Amino acid sequence: MLSARHELLLDLPPDAAWARLRDLSLAPHYVPGLTGCDFHPGPREGLGASRRVRMKRGFLDESVVDWREGQGLVLRLHRAEQGPPFPFRVASFRYALHPADDGRTRLCLSLDGDLRGGRVGEWLLAGVLNKTVAKIAVNLKAFYETGESQNPDYSSVP
């Protein structure tokens, strides 16, 4: 199983970081390449919430499969009922928040999944996926701390 991870400190207290993280509509402001976000019918937060993020070419559905109030969430990545995007057999994205000793918040992100190429696929894609997760973390930090969108592909105002 592949796990691309990145951690950093947010210059925000945990409650402020959680207030932003729980708003699932904000992803286009920090995930590179997203052009929009629409919610599927049902809850907009919590277990069972589901959104479709639009990209330049296509879409990705993300459904909340784990929700820990104030601590984080896990999204299952899929394309409708067709399963996860290529090259994954199974894929999820985890956002976790941990209080830091100085009143700030440690953000831990991970993209976890099984690749269709097995160990060879993991070896080939690990670096790219680690860079992608790191970029999302850095963009999330900048957006959460400044309120300024970090994604030029997304033109809406929060």
Side-chain angles (χ1 to χ4, degrees):
M1 173 173 266
L2 174 80
S3 185
R5 308 175 64 83
H6 194 79
E7 294 185 19
L8 51 72
L9 282 174
L10 300 175
D11 291 326
L12 296 168
D15 59 337
W18 176 247
R20 290 163 180 82
L21 182 59
R22 77 180 305 136
D23 184 348
L24 299 176
S25 70
L26 298 179
H29 288 287
Y30 57 84
V31 177
L34 296 188
T35 60
C37 175
D38 302 300
F39 284 90
H40 293 291
R44 290 179 61 112
E45 66 176 41
L47 194 60
S50 185
R51 67 185 178 195
R52 174 165 288 178
V53 292
R54 288 178 269 119
M55 301 174 281
K56 290 179 186 178
R57 292 187 188 112
F59 68 91
L60 181 65
D61 293 315
E62 301 177 330
S63 300
V64 177
V65 294
D66 188 24
W67 182 274
R68 296 178 192 255
E69 190 69 26
Q71 299 174 4
L73 58 104
V74 177
L75 299 169
R76 178 176 65 95
L77 309 179
H78 57 103
R79 293 188 192 274
E81 297 308 317
Q82 299 170 6
F86 183 82
F88 291 96
R89 290 180 213 256
V90 175
S92 64
F93 202 94
R94 177 179 306 274
Y95 295 82
L97 302 174
H98 305 283
D101 293 337
D102 58 3
R104 296 186 295 168
T105 305
R106 177 164 300 285
L107 170 71
C108 304
L109 300 182
S110 67
L111 172 60
D112 304 303
D114 288 326
L115 295 175
R116 296 182 194 281
R119 294 268 187 227
V120 172
E122 288 180 21
W123 179 77
L124 290 171
L125 293 175
V128 170
L129 294 175
N130 276 312
K131 285 180 185 177
T132 299
V133 173
K135 180 66 172 167
I136 292 169
V138 168
N139 285 359
L140 182 150
K141 174 181 173 61
F143 174 63
Y144 280 18
E145 292 174 3
T146 68
E148 295 177 18
S149 185
Q150 302 298 302
N151 179 9
D153 295 320
Y154 183 61
S155 59
S156 294
V157 177

